[in-house]
Amino acid sequence: MKKQRTKKLLAVWGSPGAGKTTLSAKLAWHYGQEGRRTALVFCDWNTPMLPCVQEEASFLKQHSLGSVFAAKRIVPALVEANACQIKGTDCLRLYGLLKGEYETLYPPVLERQAEEFLEALKEQYEVTVLDLTSEVHHHLLTKTALKRADEVVRLLSCELKSLSFYKSQLAYLEESQIGARYFYRVISDVRDKALANEMYQKAAFHLAHTEEIVKQWRAGDLLRELEEKQSREYLEGLRALAEELVSE
């Protein structure tokens, strides 16, 4: 009998511009290609990210995450019915605001709703990847996800502003009762390993810079394989991180 794998809520959080959405998309794509039933959730209510990762013509079904949070109670059937699906990805579903939507179009997110949503995702999917907002205090879905996630990736770039931003958020992290939680510290867009090691000596993983991801981001086409030779080092880091995050 095939052993049932543990379901995981994975949160990707970090400083602005560190590559949270890119990493979230690549992790979700990786798990989906492995045959795991996977959800990718964009928690940003200010900037709709669905149009940034996949062009509109690639969607088989589109629904707004706002429709989920407009409901009085969030149950698994509602969450499943409002998933977005793209062509050629049977195991991957997406959640987020649609092109042209904005924060005040829907009622404010309540903590109860955020908890119900996360519980429904964990019931429906083997792996859920949550692309969080950088700011914690004013974003209830991000704040709740940091509390409830099974694993949290703290994504940093090799810039001083990443370290400065993280330190500015420490009080809010402690307020969220995750101050003592373990973070996987991950450095993204690494061009100079010596500099990365100097700035973040305890980083668990490094994700190398690759121009192929830059091209995919500009084209709004992140949910696809990396095929160029230059991306091999990035893929090695991604696969190692992905395996660690879902290990028993």
Side-chain angles (χ1 to χ4, degrees):
M1 182 181 294
K2 186 178 179 181
K3 183 180 178 182
Q4 187 174 6
R5 293 180 286 203
T6 303
K7 295 180 178 181
K8 289 289 186 83
L9 285 175
L10 310 178
V12 179
W13 175 82
S15 59
K20 297 181 296 299
T21 298
T22 297
L23 176 57
S24 297
K26 290 305 180 187
L27 283 172
W29 175 259
H30 174 83
Y31 292 129
Q33 293 300 106
E34 284 190 334
R36 299 174 187 263
R37 183 165 164 77
T38 304
L40 172 58
V41 182
F42 301 109
C43 298
D44 193 337
W45 287 79
N46 294 316
T47 305
M49 298 309 299
L50 284 173
C52 299
V53 299
Q54 198 69 35
E55 59 182 10
E56 195 167 0
S58 298
F59 283 92
L60 292 173
K61 294 192 301 183
Q62 284 199 77
H63 300 280
S64 174
L65 180 58
S67 299
V68 175
F69 282 93
K72 291 183 178 179
R73 306 294 302 191
I74 298 176
V75 297
L78 174 70
V79 172
E80 184 174 18
N82 283 277
C84 295
Q85 184 178 358
I86 57 175
K87 300 173 184 176
T89 54
D90 293 338
C91 293
L92 178 61
R93 298 293 183 269
L94 282 64
Y95 295 88
L97 294 188
L98 302 179
K99 183 178 180 179
E101 292 190 315
Y102 47 91
E103 184 175 12
T104 56
L105 191 62
Y106 298 100
V109 174
L110 304 176
E111 184 173 5
R112 171 187 56 77
Q113 289 179 306
E115 291 177 348
E116 289 175 349
F117 178 56
L118 295 174
E119 289 173 5
L121 288 168
K122 195 161 186 178
E123 181 176 323
Q124 292 287 325
Y125 297 98
E126 186 177 347
V127 179
T128 298
V129 182
L130 302 155
D131 175 29
L132 306 185
T133 58
S134 293
E135 291 187 2
V136 176
H137 187 59
H138 297 295
H139 295 269
L140 229 165
L141 186 52
T142 286
K143 193 172 182 179
T144 306
L146 284 169
K147 290 182 187 178
R148 302 298 183 191
D150 298 298
E151 310 291 350
V152 179
V153 172
R154 173 154 60 95
L155 192 64
L156 303 156
S157 66
C158 292
E159 298 181 6
L160 288 175
K161 70 177 183 180
S162 281
L163 185 58
S164 178
F165 176 83
Y166 173 69
K167 289 184 176 180
S168 76
Q169 297 294 300
L170 285 177
Y172 301 133
L173 297 183
E174 291 167 2
E175 178 185 315
S176 299
Q177 299 177 338
I178 65 167
R181 289 277 302 281
Y182 177 73
F183 287 82
Y184 288 90
R185 190 183 306 193
V186 179
I187 312 301
S188 71
D189 201 30
V190 174
R191 302 168 191 247
D192 185 334
K193 287 187 176 180
L195 175 61
N197 288 329
E198 181 181 346
M199 292 182 67
Y200 307 107
Q201 295 180 10
K202 295 181 180 180
F205 298 91
H206 288 183
L207 298 173
H209 172 80
T210 170
E211 283 296 318
E212 188 177 7
I213 281 185
V214 176
K215 294 175 187 175
Q216 288 184 355
W217 174 259
R218 289 173 178 169
D221 195 18
L222 286 175
L223 296 175
R224 59 175 296 180
E225 294 287 355
L226 292 168
E227 300 174 341
E228 296 179 11
K229 184 177 179 180
Q230 60 164 296
S231 300
R232 289 178 182 174
E233 189 175 356
Y234 176 92
L235 284 171
E236 288 175 4
L238 177 73
R239 289 165 182 161
L241 173 61
E243 182 178 350
E244 179 69 22
L245 289 172
V246 297
S247 62
E248 303 297 330

